[in-house]
């Protein structure tokens, strides 16, 4: 059984993540809020902005690749849309980049890399 491809960065298949969560949020204008009558008014500028939280357990080679992607201002990301189960392409950037050493042996090191991909 073949596994699903969850992420593609700039046409490069990314390894299977240890965790993967997709969130959608709305961008609201400053003009929204609560009126004097007490009703809430939302002025949605853009809805369905994607944020993807991921964690990977990777070798030093992939740690270096993720570090290089983090430095890019924009990445073309293909991500698995959980509603349609299809890969959707969009422009994103990496935020909240964290690295942790899991283990270090004579065979090499295992790193845990986590970050959030945010859509422009």
């Amino acid at each position: 059984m073949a596994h699903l491809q969850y992420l593609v960065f700039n046409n490069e298949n990314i390894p299977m993540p240890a965790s993967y969560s997709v969130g959608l949020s709305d961008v609201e204008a400053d003009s929204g809020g609560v009126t004097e009558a007490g009703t809430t008014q939302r002025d949605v500028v853009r809805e369905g902005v994607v944020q993807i939280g991921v964690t990977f357990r990777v070798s030093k080679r992939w740690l270096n690749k993720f570090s290089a992607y983090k430095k890019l201002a924009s990445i073309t990301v293909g991500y698995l849309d959980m509603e349609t189960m299809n890969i959707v392409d969009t422009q994103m950037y990496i935020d909240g980049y964290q690295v942790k050493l899991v283990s270090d042996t004579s065979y090499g090191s295992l790193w845990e890399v986590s970050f959030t991909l945010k859509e422009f």
Side-chain angles (χ1 to χ4, degrees):
M1 180 174 138
H3 76 281
L4 292 173
Q5 183 65 45
Y6 287 85
L7 289 169
V8 178
F9 288 3
N10 294 342
N11 295 318
E12 179 178 21
N13 288 341
I14 302 301
M16 176 76 77
S19 70
Y20 179 85
S21 64
V22 177
L24 301 175
S25 60
D26 296 337
V27 176
E28 296 182 16
D30 291 338
S31 59
V34 179
T35 65
E36 289 182 15
T39 57
T40 301
Q41 177 180 334
R42 291 183 66 214
D43 292 330
V44 177
V45 176
R46 188 169 162 220
E47 54 183 41
V49 178
V50 178
Q51 290 190 8
I52 303 170
V54 289
T55 301
F56 298 93
R57 290 198 166 201
V58 294
S59 65
K60 180 181 175 185
R61 181 176 145 252
W62 271 100
L63 173 64
N64 290 336
K65 284 187 177 192
F66 284 133
S67 295
Y69 280 121
K70 174 185 69 78
K71 294 174 184 173
L72 297 176
S74 174
I75 306 168
T76 301
V77 176
Y79 70 94
L80 181 66
D81 182 359
M82 303 308 271
E83 293 177 348
T84 63
M85 298 305 283
N86 292 322
I87 296 289
V88 177
D89 292 326
T90 188
Q91 292 294 311
M92 302 183 109
Y93 64 95
I94 291 177
D95 190 37
Y97 186 82
Q98 295 181 344
V99 177
K100 180 171 77 173
L101 178 64
V102 175
S103 66
D104 193 11
T105 66
S106 59
Y107 296 109
S109 53
L110 180 65
W111 298 90
E112 184 173 276
V113 180
S114 60
F115 51 85
T116 301
L117 291 162
K118 294 186 175 183
E119 185 177 27
F120 280 101

